[in-house]
Amino acid sequence: MLRVLLSASLLEEQAEGTLPATAAAARAVLAAGLDPSLEGAPVRQMAAASDRIARLVALAPRLRTLSNRAAKVAADAAQLSSTNVPERQLVLSRRFSPLGGGALLNFSGFLDRPLRDLDFYSGVYDAVVQIATRECEVQGPYPVENRPAAVFRMDAPLLLDESTLETQRCLGQALRTVVEELRLHQSARVAYVIAKLSRLEVTAQLGSRSAATKLLAEPAWNWLGEPQLPLGDQLGPAFAAVTSRTAPCHETATESLCLLDPTIDELLEALQRAEYVPSSPSMRDALSDRDRWTAHLAQRPSDIILTGVGLGQLWARRAERLSGAPELDLDPSTIPARTPDGTSPASLVAAHLLPYRISLDVVQGGAAFSWIEPALRVSSWFSVESVADLLAIEGSGRVASTLGLIPTFRVRGVALGAGAQSVFPWNGDPVLMPGVIGRIGLLQERLAITFGIRSLSTGHQEALVALSVSDLNGLAYWLALWSAGRK
């Protein structure tokens, strides 16, 4: 581009007579690409004769730098778009210790706070060890200051051989650097978990308690010390319980050094042996009377199943109301015509006091409430729905009522309708021409989006967008019955 501008400028100034006759030779050199850096004698001669040409030539180094940068960015982008470059490899986080929340279908952490705290601090440990491992990998087979060189695996030359003493010394020094830089040793609980898990993992990696004892006494690892928890802190017993189950790390191992996830029974037994003091009622029940706690826990899935059956019944009732045709449905809610046996008729009256539909105006603000929306159901796929917002509070504070009709088609669970509606102000303002609206309903038309024009009258053609939820009173009625039935 710069050569094009320079050639055009040379031609223009040559025609104006401000350049010597050798300008033609300079243009020929540029056109042939014989002077890509714009540093040849013909170009320099023209630059000396014209300030305009000189300024263009002076841009060449800067443009070359920018061009090189753009080429590098393009090359990096092309590399990242491939699937086998290191920058696009998925790095999975490591986990050495079992989790306090790993039992009971991964919900045991909810039994007591110390179990959740332990999982957090174990995650901190895994993170700093992963950082230390990366430091030793990047260091390569060379010592760095007081950190010895690590040993790499023969079958995977880019990965550390963590079963060797040299690698463990490198990891110990790297871990110390990370812990000190992040000031993790200032937290007694973090320091406690890091020290405990480090000793367990070093022992498991080396495959020998005696070898690990000697290594942990060296400067690479003896900085761990013996961190103490505050008096009464239950993190210690929780740690002892969670890490109590061990097994051989491989078939030829002679010692059980690798940690296994405990079952809920094993976890509770280990907590009792560790003299764990529970803080939650659920954990107290589990440790004091496990059979009773288990029986109580077994009732909870039945509650979940009961709720699922109830919601399924609510869905089925709504589907029956929408599919009944031909029929004039005066009340499309799922509130039954008569109360079930053993329930008070007052519950029906209370449910009908709640709105059937609530609509929120997202353009001008405000809300509308409807208690009854009669519908003429011609077939299972076509009906004429009504708009009957008896109370509509606009964003300006004006109160009105809205009435209208929306012919609606149902296709694959989605209701699509278009019609008209009129607004009747309560303060005596004139009634404007009806507006044109459309509606999209989902989830058996319980969720709907209404959009259109409020009125076709000149000067009042504002946009309308509203979100609505219907069958609120039916939902409240059945949920109240199910809740009372479970008590």
Side-chain angles (χ1 to χ4, degrees):
M1 180 61 70
L2 181 60
R3 288 198 299 271
V4 173
L5 291 174
L6 192 55
S7 298
S9 299
L10 288 171
L11 181 61
E12 181 182 353
E13 294 201 14
Q14 184 182 7
E16 294 175 353
T18 58
L19 290 178
T22 54
R27 285 192 294 107
V29 170
L30 294 176
L34 301 178
D35 188 9
S37 61
L38 303 181
E39 296 178 351
V43 174
R44 290 201 304 269
Q45 184 180 1
M46 295 302 103
S50 169
D51 291 339
R52 178 182 178 186
I53 301 300
R55 287 194 294 269
L56 289 175
V57 173
L59 288 175
R62 177 61 176 167
L63 292 178
R64 280 197 299 270
T65 301
L66 294 176
S67 177
N68 292 336
R69 291 180 180 177
K72 185 178 184 304
V73 171
D76 292 342
Q79 185 186 33
L80 289 174
S81 64
S82 63
T83 58
N84 57 353
V85 294
E87 289 84 353
R88 293 183 64 86
Q89 292 179 357
L90 180 63
V91 178
L92 298 178
S93 60
R94 67 189 303 280
R95 179 166 76 88
F96 171 71
S97 172
L99 298 177
L104 201 63
L105 299 176
N106 295 320
F107 280 92
S108 58
F110 290 98
L111 293 178
D112 217 356
R113 175 67 180 267
L115 295 177
R116 301 191 295 274
D117 292 344
L118 176 60
D119 289 350
F120 172 79
Y121 295 121
S122 298
V124 173
Y125 167 78
D126 288 331
V128 295
V129 171
Q130 191 160 351
I131 296 173
T133 302
R134 177 62 177 170
E135 290 294 325
C136 289
E137 289 176 346
V138 173
Q139 174 182 328
Y142 309 100
V144 175
E145 297 179 354
N146 63 338
R147 195 164 67 208
V151 177
F152 290 79
R153 290 166 47 179
M154 297 297 294
D155 59 331
L158 297 180
L159 300 179
L160 301 179
D161 185 355
E162 298 183 358
S163 64
T164 64
L165 293 173
E166 292 82 358
T167 299
Q168 288 300 324
R169 291 187 181 102
C170 180
L171 290 174
Q173 294 289 2
L175 182 63
R176 179 178 186 176
T177 301
V178 176
V179 169
E180 291 178 349
E181 289 182 353
L182 298 179
R183 301 180 181 179
L184 297 178
H185 57 281
Q186 295 182 1
S187 169
R189 305 184 99 191
V190 175
Y192 179 86
V193 173
I194 289 179
K196 290 289 187 180
L197 286 180
S198 294
R199 292 187 174 91
L200 290 174
E201 184 163 8
V202 169
T203 304
Q205 294 291 355
L206 295 180
S208 169
R209 287 189 175 89
S210 59
T213 301
K214 295 179 181 179
L215 177 63
L216 291 170
E218 296 181 8
W221 284 103
N222 62 8
W223 58 270
L224 290 173
E226 294 291 342
Q228 299 297 319
L229 292 172
L231 185 64
D233 194 333
Q234 297 305 304
L235 188 69
F239 179 90
V242 170
T243 59
S244 61
R245 187 183 178 196
T246 59
C249 298
H250 48 82
E251 294 180 356
T252 60
T254 58
E255 299 179 68
S256 297
L257 302 176
C258 282
L259 303 180
L260 298 180
D261 293 292
T263 64
I264 184 61
D265 288 331
E266 292 170 338
L267 176 62
L268 294 177
E269 291 174 358
L271 288 172
Q272 289 178 326
R273 290 195 302 269
E275 298 181 353
Y276 178 84
V277 179
S279 59
S280 70
S282 181
M283 180 60 85
R284 283 195 293 269
D285 293 342
L287 295 179
S288 61
D289 191 344
R290 193 181 311 171
D291 293 337
R292 179 181 177 184
W293 174 79
T294 303
H296 177 68
L297 186 66
Q299 294 176 359
R300 296 183 181 180
S302 64
D303 292 342
I304 297 174
I305 295 173
L306 179 60
T307 302
V309 172
L311 293 177
Q313 187 182 37
L314 183 65
W315 186 275
R317 287 177 177 272
R318 180 70 167 176
E320 181 182 6
R321 300 300 294 268
L322 294 177
S323 61
E327 179 185 12
L328 177 60
D329 190 357
L330 297 178
D331 181 13
S333 73
T334 55
I335 300 175
R338 52 182 296 181
T339 60
D341 295 339
T343 59
S344 172
S347 59
L348 291 179
V349 178
H352 281 294
L353 293 177
L354 298 174
Y356 167 75
R357 182 189 299 273
I358 296 180
S359 304
L360 301 178
D361 190 335
V362 300
V363 176
Q364 297 186 356
F369 305 88
S370 172
W371 279 263
I372 184 171
E373 291 184 357
L376 176 60
R377 311 205 183 280
V378 181
S379 67
S380 60
W381 54 269
F382 176 73
S383 64
V384 179
E385 307 288 333
S386 65
V387 178
D389 297 333
L390 299 182
L391 176 62
I393 305 174
E394 300 180 357
S396 61
R398 190 178 68 165
V399 181
S401 296
T402 304
L403 301 177
L405 295 175
I406 305 179
T408 302
F409 293 88
R410 295 178 183 83
V411 181
R412 296 184 179 274
V414 179
L416 304 173
Q421 68 176 21
S422 295
V423 179
F424 299 88
W426 287 18
N427 61 358
D429 289 347
V431 178
L432 302 176
M433 294 181 60
V436 179
I437 61 172
R439 177 183 288 176
I440 301 176
L442 303 171
L443 297 177
Q444 295 184 323
E445 303 177 36
R446 285 189 169 90
L447 299 179
I449 303 175
T450 303
F451 53 90
I453 301 175
R454 295 180 183 275
S455 174
L456 295 178
S457 299
T458 304
H460 297 276
Q461 298 175 351
E462 298 109 349
L464 167 66
V465 179
L467 304 178
S468 65
V469 180
S470 65
D471 197 29
L472 287 175
N473 49 6
L475 182 62
Y477 175 81
W478 290 108
L479 288 181
L481 286 186
W482 297 326
S483 177
R486 288 198 296 266
K487 292 180 180 179

